[in-house]
């Protein structure tokens, strides 16, 4: 049995806590300064409550930080201030740079494992992926906590930040796509064509993120797509909708404008152009 402090059990943290307890481990929560909802979720998940962070940390081999992204560094600083010695697993949706700052904050004495959760909270028949990056022994310890659980562990490297980079790459598409869908439907609704938009979407074949081989064709058409997105921005403004994402898309497409008609460019080249911010 390994003792783990989970900071702080929101919906995802409570589900992870429940998986720890189901696996025979002891999960601790810290109640001081937390809401009644957080306290309730911890109890329901089977965590042992401690009023003192210092006491919980003194009993723990592993700390799981599961909190809103903006709180990740504050949580790490609080743990570091108590001189925690063990494995600190940050599984928040944060940038690789923030993970590295947290690793600097936690050291010395502890090892930071960078984690990223994909999917809904585990349990009730749902399988969730936990990607981990960091020192092998620390990653193995964290992975051992979820043997035969609904949280499936995948290793992505030795460098803290790799798992978070994967999360940021995925979220950059997933969250933006859903936001764009909201903008598209709001615009269609403003013009009374919402049903037609839905009908067109239903016949689309969408494998965009899973098939990067199509990206050279986007670059080849960017010369006319960029002006089209500027027209979209004008239409959004006229409908009192935010034009920002359309304007940003136009700026990104402009990087590829010199690739007009060049459908045979390698994927690696069009990706490199985005990184450099200019056509090559």
């Amino acid at each position: 049995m390994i003792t783990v402090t989970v900071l702080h059990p929101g919906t995802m943290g409570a589900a992870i806590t429940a998986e720890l307890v189901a696996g025979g481990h002891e999960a601790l929560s810290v109640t001081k300064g937390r809401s009644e909802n957080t306290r309730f979720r911890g109890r329901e998940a089977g965590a042992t409550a401690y009023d003192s962070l210092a006491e919980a940390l003194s009993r723990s081999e592993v700390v799981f930080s599961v909190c809103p992204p903006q709180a990740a560094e504050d949580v790490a600083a609080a743990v570091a201030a108590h001189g925690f010695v063990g494995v600190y697993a940050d599984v928040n949706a944060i940038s690789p740079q923030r993970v590295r700052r947290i690793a600097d904050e936690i050291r010395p004495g502890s090892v930071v494992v960078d984690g990223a959760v994909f999917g809904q909270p585990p349990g009730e028949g749902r399988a969730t992926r936990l990607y981990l990056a960091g020192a092998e022994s620390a990653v193995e310890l964290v992975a051992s906590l979820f043997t035969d659980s609904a949280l499936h562990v995948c290793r992505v490297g030795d460098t803290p930040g790799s798992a978070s980079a994967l999360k940021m790459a995925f979220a950059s598409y997933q969250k933006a796509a859903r936001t764009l869908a909201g903008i598209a439907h709001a615009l269609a609704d403003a013009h009374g064509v919402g049903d037609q938009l839905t009908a067109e979407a239903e016949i689309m074949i969408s494998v965009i993120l899973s098939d990067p081989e199509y990206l050279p064709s986007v670059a080849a058409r960017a010369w006319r797509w960029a002006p089209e997105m500027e027209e979209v921005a004008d239409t959004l403004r006229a409908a009192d909708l935010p034009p920002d994402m359309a304007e940003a898309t136009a700026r990104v497409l402009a990087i590829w404008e010199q690739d007009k008609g060049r459908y045979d460019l390698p994927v690696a080249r069009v990706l490199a152009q985005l990184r450099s911010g200019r056509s090559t």
Side-chain angles (χ1 to χ4, degrees), residues 215-232:
L215 288 172
S217 71
V218 177
R221 291 175 285 179
W223 64 277
R224 59 182 174 85
W225 282 14
E228 183 176 340
M229 291 309 297
E230 291 169 357
E231 295 296 318
V232 171

Side-chain angles (χ1 to χ4, degrees), residues 173 177-178 200-212 214:
Y173 173 81
R178 282 156 176 74
E200 280 296 319
E202 286 174 347
I203 62 175
M204 290 177 62
I205 300 174
S206 180
V207 290
I208 294 173
L209 190 60
S210 63
D211 182 21
Y214 82 98

